[in-house]
């Protein structure tokens, strides 16, 4: 009976997340197309220049190549791996984000690499968390700088860019403090958690354990060579992504500067963190419109360009991830269960009772 209750609880949790994701996706999609004549969208596609697709694929390749290089460097103090060795797990993970709910691809990525090279899951997860920290810093820099420098944006937007700069500074300070005073930072979090008894004990324990494991991932930052490599690849990969957005916009004859593309990049990167259905459809479209309306771009053109950009990313990433999962003999159903198990542990769910 207890086991049935646990299964029912997990199913309810998954169902709630699924419903929430569908609601957000549909709401974003409706907001993105509201007031647009379908004929306007078709007209945008008819006049688009799809000869840019090879350029989009090249930029996508460079984006993931740089991402693989950075992950290899983050993992180097833990285990020496090559770019070709980390690429399958990375692409399987991003494929998972495209077809699995709740960003389970990140946990699928951890599961695959951990299983392949016998590295503790918490240690692998810590490098993924560190990746996100560097991504946040790079994206905030591009977003804040683009908003501040873009001449066509209202003056009050510069105020927003200063807040972004302050946020970037706080993140950098946290990473630096964690690197220099790892044990002290962990002790501080342990003390903070002691004043929050309402948090599940399993959750706080796993957070602290992950922070401790993260010290291994941060070890790469103690090497000047690795630090430089991690920093430049973090910025370079998002330059590739920003250029992909710019090419997509130019393909639909949307004549904007690279600054506009990097505003779209920043808004979209943070937009896809909200719960939604796999692939982030609807969310991406709304983020494009929110970003581009300030640059005088029509809603129909912004919507059409967002579809082109998203499909040029979604289809090849999903196909490559499926290829690697098949090559590695990975059953997606089993991998999804493992990814869900990792997620349940982070949420403090007692999966063993299930």
């Amino acid at each position: 009976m207890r086991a049935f209750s646990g299964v029912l609880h997990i199913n309810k949790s998954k169902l709630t997340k699924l419903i929430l994701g569908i609601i957000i996706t549909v709401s974003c999609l409706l907001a993105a197309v509201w007031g647009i004549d379908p004929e306007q969208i078709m007209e945008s596609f008819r006049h688009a220049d799809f000869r840019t697709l090879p350029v989009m694929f090249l930029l996508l390749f460079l984006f993931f190549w740089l991402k693989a290089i950075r992950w290899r460097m983050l993992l180097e103090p833990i285990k020496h791996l090559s770019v070709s060795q980390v690429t399958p797990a990375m692409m399987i993970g991003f494929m998972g984000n495209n077809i699995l709910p709740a960003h389970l691809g990140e946990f699928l990525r951890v599961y695959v690499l951990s299983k392949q090279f016998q590295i503790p899951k918490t240690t692998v997860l810590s490098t993924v968390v560190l990746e996100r920290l560097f991504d946040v810093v790079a994206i905030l820099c591009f977003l804040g700088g683009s908003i501040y420098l873009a001449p066509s944006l209202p003056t009050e937007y510069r105020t927003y860019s200063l807040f972004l700069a302050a946020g970037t500074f706080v993140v950098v300070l946290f990473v630096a403090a964690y690197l220099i005073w790892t044990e002290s930072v962990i002790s501080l979090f342990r003390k903070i958690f002691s004043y929050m008894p309402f948090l599940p004990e399993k959750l706080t324990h796993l957070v602290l354990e992950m922070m401790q494991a993260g010290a291994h991932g941060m070890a790469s930052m103690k090497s000047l060579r690795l630090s430089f490599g991690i920093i430049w690849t973090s910025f370079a990969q998002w330059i590739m992504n920003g250029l992909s957005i710019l090419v997509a916009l130019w393909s639909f004859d949307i004549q904007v500067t690279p600054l506009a593309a990097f505003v779209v990049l920043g808004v979209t990167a943070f937009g896809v963190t909200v719960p939604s259905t796999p692939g982030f459809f609807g969310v991406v479209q709304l983020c494009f419109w929110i970003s581009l309306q300030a640059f005088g771009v029509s809603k129909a053109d912004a919507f059409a360009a967002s579809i082109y950009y998203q499909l040029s990313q979604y289809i090849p990433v999903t196909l490559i991830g499926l290829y690697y999962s098949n090559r590695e003999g990975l059953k997606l159903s089993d991998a999804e269960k493992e990814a869900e198990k990792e997620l349940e542990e982070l949420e403090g769910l007692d999966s063993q009772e299930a």
Side-chain angles (χ1 to χ4, degrees):
M1 187 71 178
R2 188 180 182 185
F4 175 77
S5 175
V7 171
L8 183 62
H9 175 69
I10 292 174
N11 288 341
K12 282 183 177 179
S13 175
K14 290 175 66 176
L15 181 61
T16 300
K17 290 174 183 176
L18 176 62
I19 293 174
L20 178 61
I22 292 174
I23 291 173
I24 292 175
T25 296
V26 173
S27 299
C28 289
L29 192 57
L30 287 174
V33 299
W34 192 263
I36 305 178
D37 185 340
E39 182 58 32
Q40 292 178 296
I41 299 175
M42 295 305 298
E43 186 68 16
S44 294
F45 275 106
R46 277 194 291 268
H47 290 89
D49 185 358
F50 296 112
R51 291 175 298 178
T52 58
L53 194 57
V55 179
M56 300 282 285
F57 288 159
L58 174 61
L59 291 170
L60 182 65
F61 167 78
L62 292 174
F63 173 78
F64 280 105
W65 177 63
L66 290 165
K67 188 174 285 291
I69 291 175
R70 185 182 64 175
W71 199 21
R72 184 202 67 77
M73 288 188 288
L74 282 167
L75 287 162
E76 186 171 316
I78 304 162
K79 194 177 186 71
H80 284 271
L81 299 173
S82 66
V83 169
S84 61
Q85 285 176 311
V86 303
T87 296
M90 182 185 71
M91 297 309 299
I92 289 171
F94 279 91
M95 174 270 295
N97 281 338
N98 284 347
I99 65 176
L100 301 177
H103 295 270
L104 282 178
E106 302 296 349
F107 301 94
L108 178 56
R109 175 180 169 189
V110 169
Y111 164 74
V112 172
L113 194 79
S114 175
K115 182 180 179 181
Q116 283 182 321
F117 301 105
Q118 291 76 52
I119 306 173
K121 292 178 183 177
T122 52
T123 303
V124 179
L125 183 58
S126 71
T127 63
V128 175
V129 172
L130 290 171
E131 274 194 345
R132 292 295 167 262
L133 284 175
F134 287 109
D135 285 341
V136 167
V137 171
I139 292 168
L140 283 175
C141 287
F142 285 127
L143 179 58
S146 298
I147 291 175
Y148 188 82
L149 295 173
S152 59
L153 293 180
T155 306
E156 59 266 23
Y157 277 51
R158 293 195 173 187
T159 304
Y160 303 151
S161 70
L162 295 177
F163 281 111
L164 290 173
T168 305
F169 183 67
V170 169
V171 173
V172 171
L173 279 183
F174 172 77
V175 173
Y178 180 53
L179 173 62
I180 300 170
W181 303 293
T182 304
E183 292 301 327
S184 298
V185 171
I186 294 174
S187 297
L188 175 62
F189 271 81
R190 185 178 290 110
K191 189 172 183 179
I192 292 172
F193 287 149
S194 69
Y195 292 108
M196 305 170 73
F198 53 87
L199 290 177
E201 182 180 351
K202 191 171 185 179
L203 173 62
T204 57
H205 173 74
L206 283 169
V207 169
L208 293 171
E209 182 182 352
M210 191 171 69
M211 290 183 69
Q212 189 68 55
H216 296 291
M218 288 300 290
S220 58
M221 298 304 294
K222 296 178 181 178
S223 162
L224 185 60
R225 175 182 62 85
L226 292 177
S227 295
F228 177 74
I230 291 167
I231 291 170
W232 83 258
T233 51
S234 295
F235 281 87
Q237 66 180 278
W238 290 108
I239 289 176
M240 296 302 110
N241 202 294
L243 290 176
S244 293
I245 293 173
L246 183 63
V247 172
L249 296 177
W250 284 353
S251 300
F252 284 78
D253 199 27
I254 300 174
Q255 299 302 318
V256 292
T257 67
L259 293 175
F262 282 99
V263 171
V264 175
L265 166 68
V267 174
T268 304
F270 288 111
V272 297
T273 61
V274 303
S276 65
T277 52
F280 318 113
F281 290 96
V283 176
V284 172
Q285 280 65 53
L286 183 59
C287 288
F288 263 64
W289 164 234
I290 290 173
S291 308
L292 292 171
Q293 62 178 330
F295 293 93
V297 177
S298 74
K299 200 171 187 179
D301 286 343
F303 180 83
S306 72
I307 293 293
Y308 179 50
Y309 164 76
Q310 190 169 12
L311 290 180
S312 72
Q313 309 274 309
Y314 181 91
I315 293 174
V317 169
T318 303
L319 291 177
I320 292 170
L322 288 171
Y323 163 76
Y324 278 122
S325 63
N326 181 67
R327 195 188 75 173
E328 300 298 327
L330 177 67
K331 292 183 179 180
L332 288 182
S333 57
D334 294 339
E336 182 179 1
K337 290 177 183 177
E338 290 294 331
E340 287 176 346
K341 181 179 177 182
E342 294 299 316
L343 179 59
E344 288 161 11
E345 288 179 353
L346 286 176
E347 293 176 336
L349 294 176
D350 190 354
S351 57
Q352 291 181 350
E353 288 187 358

